[in-house]
Amino acid sequence: LYYVAVHFCSAEMEQYLFSADEVQKFGARCLDGSPSGFYYEKGSNTSNWVFYLEGGGFCDDESSCQERSRGHLGSSKGWLPTRQGSGLLSTDKSDNTAFFTWNHIYIPYCSGDLHSGSRRVPSQWNMFFAGHLTIVATLEKLKAAGGLTSALNILLSGESAGGIGAFEHVDYFAERFRQARVRASPQGGYFFPGNPSTYAEFMKNETAPPRGPELYDLYNSTVNRACSDANPANGYRCGPANVGYLMQYLQTPVYVAENQFDYEQIFDEMQCPKEQTKEVEEYVLYYGSVMRASIEKRVVASVLGDGLYFPSCLQHTENLNKPFNSKLINNTSYGDSLADWFFGKNHLPHILFQNSTVPTC
């Protein structure tokens, strides 16, 4: 605690690795068993906080998890002592107009479990899936260090796998910090819009089977409580592969930043060939239609007053992670709309929906 209190202000974000006692208490580990942690930078606006979850895919078999455990996405052994904040963690006003003076917390992704795992003992491959436990430990550490218990505003974000984690944890944050205005803005984390067919299934006109039970069991995922209470026999439906389903159970407003034609989902997860053929073009358009339908149902029509930045781009997150320098929709940037939405000002549009059925960027 003394370390955090003394070194909480710096030009760069400083690393904090959990101690052996904290690892034992909370189970906060990376895949390889090394301690997980976070990076922090204290802002001048000390009552306000941005939490950002790192992205970086996932692993679901022994080979991919073992390989992952040898790098920074599976081990803290090579983490640098400091890192430069960017996007919603930038201290440059021109890059982060509304949030540059806030406290910034960056949670590295070293669990391979889409930030959902709650395994205190290793899996059958001797891997720890403890993404959720790392988030719990981070909040407990910051509460003990002072400041977070009196927070007035908390924005939870993250890209890709980190965006999935933001969807899964926004209600958890809101429950933990009832005194604060808590909101989330996941970036490229809308995995998946309903239950879309893979490219192979699409070509055979087949319906996709349910996704996620294997990951849910492997990671021992901690998921949204309201969703799991409504699905006691099928908790995987609330898990990290089913954000389009989870959305209906969220009780905290979110501002979704997502591309209509998510490149990662289409070409990597759905295994669409990276070729210029009529079949590929048809599949890309199909996927965009599924994404639009899900977003319209779960976000645009939300009774919570959710926000949306939804460009018709064939990209993943590279156009989403610098909100105040984003492509304009209705003459408004993602960042400006997000800030206006967060504070309830209603001076700008909060639904930025680029109306196109084909990729335009």
Side-chain angles (χ1 to χ4, degrees):
L1 301 185
Y2 180 74
Y3 179 90
V4 173
V6 171
H7 295 87
F8 205 24
C9 184
S10 81
E12 290 187 310
M13 306 186 76
E14 292 192 34
Q15 178 198 96
Y16 179 81
L17 289 181
F18 294 114
S19 68
D21 287 344
E22 289 166 332
V23 170
Q24 184 65 30
K25 180 177 180 179
F26 298 111
R29 296 178 174 89
C30 296
L31 270 175
D32 68 343
S34 60
S36 55
F38 58 91
Y39 289 82
Y40 55 88
E41 181 171 26
K42 186 175 182 179
S44 59
N45 199 333
T46 57
S47 296
N48 298 336
W49 299 73
V50 178
F51 287 81
Y52 198 89
L53 308 181
E54 184 182 18
F58 64 98
C59 67
D60 59 357
D61 58 39
E62 183 174 10
S63 176
S64 63
C65 289
Q66 290 287 356
E67 180 178 0
R68 189 182 186 92
S69 72
R70 291 189 283 270
H72 75 280
L73 290 173
S75 174
S76 63
K77 294 176 182 177
W79 289 0
L80 297 176
T82 63
R83 63 170 293 118
Q84 190 71 44
S86 62
L88 291 172
L89 300 181
S90 175
T91 56
D92 186 333
K93 184 177 181 179
S94 64
D95 289 335
N96 192 22
T97 307
F99 310 107
F100 75 102
T101 62
W102 290 28
N103 298 314
H104 295 156
I105 305 296
Y106 181 87
I107 302 181
Y109 178 38
C110 66
S111 54
D113 58 6
L114 304 167
H115 295 278
S116 73
S118 296
R119 286 201 174 276
R120 289 179 172 270
V121 295
S123 71
Q124 64 269 35
W125 311 320
N126 202 33
M127 296 282 111
F128 290 90
F129 299 103
H132 170 71
L133 301 180
T134 291
I135 292 173
V136 172
T138 299
L139 297 183
E140 290 298 323
K141 184 67 179 181
L142 294 172
K143 280 181 63 180
L148 191 54
T149 52
S150 58
L152 298 178
N153 297 290
I154 297 175
L155 176 62
L156 173 63
S157 187
E159 65 174 316
S160 194
I164 295 174
F167 278 115
E168 287 285 358
H169 284 89
V170 62
D171 282 351
Y172 177 77
F173 271 65
E175 291 170 5
R176 292 288 305 272
F177 304 103
R178 296 182 183 274
Q179 83 284 356
R181 177 195 285 116
V182 176
R183 301 289 186 266
S185 186
Q187 300 170 346
Y190 202 87
F191 286 74
F192 292 96
N195 197 37
S197 300
T198 65
Y199 177 80
E201 292 162 347
F202 177 79
M203 295 304 296
K204 298 176 183 178
N205 198 28
E206 294 178 349
T207 302
R211 289 191 174 86
E214 299 86 0
L215 298 182
Y216 178 80
D217 292 338
L218 175 63
Y219 302 152
N220 190 27
S221 294
T222 293
V223 298
N224 179 274
R225 182 182 301 173
C227 184
S228 61
D229 287 348
N231 295 272
N234 297 293
Y236 73 88
R237 299 192 71 184
C238 311
N242 292 294
V243 168
Y245 181 80
L246 164 67
M247 279 290 296
Q248 65 189 301
Y249 295 100
L250 293 187
Q251 299 172 15
T252 309
V254 296
Y255 189 113
V256 178
E258 182 63 55
N259 284 300
Q260 295 186 37
F261 305 90
D262 189 305
Y263 188 95
E264 170 74 16
Q265 294 189 37
I266 291 171
F267 292 104
D268 292 331
E269 301 304 326
M270 298 293 122
Q271 299 182 333
C272 179
K274 297 176 183 179
E275 303 170 353
Q276 292 185 337
T277 65
K278 179 183 178 181
E279 291 76 17
V280 167
E281 180 180 346
E282 289 176 350
Y283 184 75
V284 170
L285 298 181
Y286 155 77
Y287 205 87
S289 69
V290 173
M291 182 69 80
R292 283 192 300 277
S294 182
I295 289 289
E296 287 175 346
K297 181 178 181 180
R298 301 300 190 200
V299 182
V300 177
S302 169
V303 297
L304 297 179
D306 292 338
L308 176 68
Y309 178 73
F310 197 45
S312 59
C313 295
L314 184 61
Q315 298 183 54
H316 184 38
T317 61
E318 57 270 32
N319 63 329
L320 305 177
N321 54 24
K322 294 186 177 180
F324 291 93
N325 295 303
S326 68
K327 169 186 171 69
L328 301 184
I329 301 177
N330 297 339
N331 296 315
T332 308
S333 72
Y334 161 32
D336 288 335
S337 177
L338 169 64
D340 190 84
W341 169 86
F342 185 96
F343 291 108
K345 294 181 178 180
N346 296 313
H347 295 157
L348 297 172
H350 300 160
I351 299 295
L352 302 181
F353 193 128
Q354 189 173 2
N355 190 16
S356 177
T357 59
V358 298
T360 60
C361 47

